[in-house]
Amino acid sequence: MKFSIDKETFMGVLKRIDGVCPAKGSSFAALACCLIEARGDEIVVTGTDLELTLRVIVNANILEEGKAIIHAHQLLDTVQCQPQDVPILISSEGSQTLIDAGNFHGRISNIDISDYPQVDNLDYQECVRINALEFKSLITKTMFSISRDDSRIDFTGAFLTVKQNGKIEM
């Protein structure tokens, strides 16, 4: 895998993914990592804590297709320290990911692809688009009924359904 991307775009992706990947406390080391797939003219970055999965797709200059599992927080810290106007070049070679930005050349160890948890693929044709403010309104109107007590696990969530006509109920 080899691609280049501007720092601002990559930082936006990594900050979102880093919020999902648990930094410490998990006995499953791969959860602190993100899966980066370079394909076509885009990269797909996936992070999960096994309860929540986030997948972000952005355009990048793909020089070589492939995928790698990289520690999310280390990658974020490394990219964050780079100058603003320098493109970031990421290349994965075996068990190492090389990061080049201007005069900076660094390495981060990869984790074996087989160690990353299997994440279900979404069928994007069956997804429903909703305005963010409308979705926030649904959450606001129902969150009074959601228990914050973990001992009452049946009441710690909300039931969301999508009707045949595309309407969403919560």
Side-chain angles (χ1 to χ4, degrees):
M1 170 186 79
K2 188 173 190 177
F3 66 91
S4 72
I5 189 168
D6 68 280
K7 177 186 174 182
E8 186 177 329
T9 302
F10 203 36
M11 283 294 300
V13 171
L14 294 176
K15 283 181 181 178
R16 286 185 225 148
I17 294 295
D18 189 54
V20 175
C21 299
K24 294 182 181 176
S26 175
S27 60
F28 193 34
L31 292 181
C33 299
C34 61
L35 168 63
I36 300 179
E37 301 173 79
R39 60 183 190 208
D41 62 347
E42 62 190 19
I43 59 168
V44 180
V45 185
T46 305
T48 187
D49 65 0
L50 296 180
E51 286 185 28
L52 174 68
T53 299
L54 180 64
R55 182 171 288 141
V56 181
I57 302 170
V58 293
N59 288 334
N61 180 20
I62 307 301
L63 305 170
E64 183 180 315
E65 292 190 353
K67 52 176 102 172
I69 309 292
I70 306 167
H71 192 280
H73 193 69
Q74 285 179 349
L75 184 58
L76 174 63
D77 283 349
T78 303
V79 171
Q80 202 165 21
C81 295
Q82 303 315 311
Q84 195 64 31
D85 57 343
V86 176
I88 308 292
L89 177 67
I90 305 287
S91 58
S92 182
E93 298 175 0
S95 65
Q96 298 282 311
T97 293
L98 307 173
I99 303 163
D100 293 312
N103 293 332
F104 176 82
H105 306 290
R107 293 177 187 267
I108 297 177
S109 294
N110 291 352
I111 290 183
D112 191 330
I113 296 280
S114 63
D115 290 343
Y116 199 72
Q118 187 66 29
V119 178
D120 293 334
N121 285 328
L122 293 175
D123 183 1
Y124 294 108
Q125 295 170 350
E126 294 182 18
C127 288
V128 174
R129 291 191 181 270
I130 183 170
N131 178 293
L133 292 175
E134 291 175 20
F135 191 58
K136 181 179 178 184
S137 174
L138 283 173
I139 294 169
T140 302
K141 290 176 183 176
T142 57
M143 67 189 249
F144 75 91
S145 64
I146 299 171
S147 175
R148 288 179 170 67
D149 184 1
D150 287 339
S151 66
R152 302 180 69 189
I153 195 76
D154 293 344
F155 304 112
T156 59
F159 183 67
L160 183 125
T161 59
V162 179
K163 299 293 182 178
Q164 291 289 346
N165 60 3
K167 295 215 178 218
I168 297 175
E169 290 181 359
M170 194 170 202

